[in-house]
Amino acid sequence: MNSNGISRGHNGDSRRSSMVDATGRFCSQPMRGSPEILVGLCYDDKHEVVSVSIEKASSLGADVAPPDSFIRIIALDEFNGELMRHKTDTVKHNTQPVYSHHCTLKFSKDKVETSTVRVEVWTVTGMLKRKHQVGSISIGFASSTPDANEHWQQMMQGAGITVAKWHAIQSPDA
């Protein structure tokens, strides 16, 4: 991070600016346009748990008819087998929903390096309340992006400090 508080990528470019949020946590700021989600991660090696915070999302749907949305958090083992899952409450009619959801996922010290947390963004539409997956991001062993892998590594090196980052949601068709 430079003296202006901007985190630089591996090539020296700044993908997005960073900041300290209202609770004193370091996090990046969202990019505008494509759907993104702010995820906080913290590993407590004493209790062998990963704390996952789903703070908020940006750019979900059209401003004309803002969607109802929720997030699914799924813990996966090294073979992509589901270990556990959590779900946020549904946030109604909002393109910039605030979830403020926190959950803990049990990962033993010998398994955390080969585990993955998948965060799925879902919308609920129409009178039949049909669910549509907007997309997801995988963070950890089977990270879906280099940025997600870097987030996991920062969590592992964070010594119990929550590291929050914005992640672009990848389309389920990708």
Side-chain angles (χ1 to χ4, degrees), residues 131-147:
K131 296 175 184 144
H132 169 75
Q133 186 178 3
V134 174
S136 65
I137 183 79
S138 293
I139 307 169
F141 180 72
S143 290
S144 51
T145 67
D147 196 40

Side-chain angles (χ1 to χ4, degrees), residues 30-95:
M31 296 174 73
R32 298 289 176 208
S34 61
E36 292 191 302
I37 187 161
L38 179 58
V39 179
L41 298 172
C42 179
Y43 184 63
D44 178 351
D45 63 348
K46 180 179 177 185
H47 295 101
E48 299 184 332
V49 295
V50 172
S51 296
V52 180
S53 300
I54 304 299
E55 304 297 335
K56 54 188 168 182
S58 70
S59 303
L60 293 186
D63 288 328
V64 181
D68 296 350
S69 63
F70 66 91
I71 308 296
R72 259 191 213 142
I73 304 114
I74 303 166
L76 303 166
D77 65 18
E78 63 190 300
F79 305 108
N80 218 23
E82 188 174 316
L83 301 171
M84 62 197 90
R85 70 171 49 198
H86 290 268
K87 179 185 162 301
T88 68
D89 291 334
T90 300
V91 175
K92 305 266 186 196
H93 313 296
N94 201 324
T95 60

